[in-house]
Amino acid sequence: MNRIGTIDRPHTHDPKKQAPMTSLASEPFGSATPAVTTIGANDSRQNRTREMQLIPEALARAHMHELLREAEAERRAVRLVAARRMQRRAERTALRARRALAMAVMQ
């Protein structure tokens, strides 16, 4: 693939050397940003707000929150399985004790 660069990873980081952004003819009017000249390219490409710069951090934070939620749900499921196993064991022990008592009374 012989690509010079992409929107996310341009070939050069100098906005004055980048090709101007143009809208395609197939797009409806007003759907894309208007074509800019290389003079205006510096302003349009440098227009990075603080919120845009913090988007990766917000995504990472949301991802970690989701992983922690899934881990907590998994821990709850494991505890529930262990509790049910202990309950069945206690029920079997109680049943054996009742049988032993019944056998002792019968004799």
Side-chain angles (χ1 to χ4, degrees), residues 13-46:
H13 291 289
D14 186 6
K16 292 181 182 176
K17 293 181 181 176
Q18 293 178 7
M21 296 169 55
T22 58
S23 59
L24 299 174
S26 62
E27 292 180 352
F29 179 74
S31 66
T33 57
V36 294
T37 61
T38 52
I39 296 168
N42 189 21
D43 295 334
S44 68
R45 287 196 173 91
Q46 294 298 324

Side-chain angles (χ1 to χ4, degrees), residues 46-101:
Q46 294 298 324
N47 187 19
R48 302 240 180 231
T49 63
R50 188 164 166 262
E51 289 82 11
M52 286 178 66
Q53 291 175 356
L54 296 177
I55 286 175
E57 290 180 26
L59 287 173
R61 195 174 296 113
H63 182 65
M64 289 306 296
H65 179 72
E66 181 65 20
L67 288 177
L68 287 172
R69 190 191 64 76
E70 287 177 6
E72 181 60 32
E74 181 70 23
R75 281 192 292 269
R76 272 186 270 141
V78 168
R79 283 195 303 259
L80 180 64
V81 168
R84 286 183 178 162
R85 188 180 306 127
M86 287 188 282
Q87 182 181 5
R88 286 193 301 266
R89 185 178 297 165
E91 287 172 356
R92 284 194 303 266
T93 303
L95 184 60
R96 276 197 301 268
R98 262 187 266 131
R99 283 186 192 146
L101 181 62

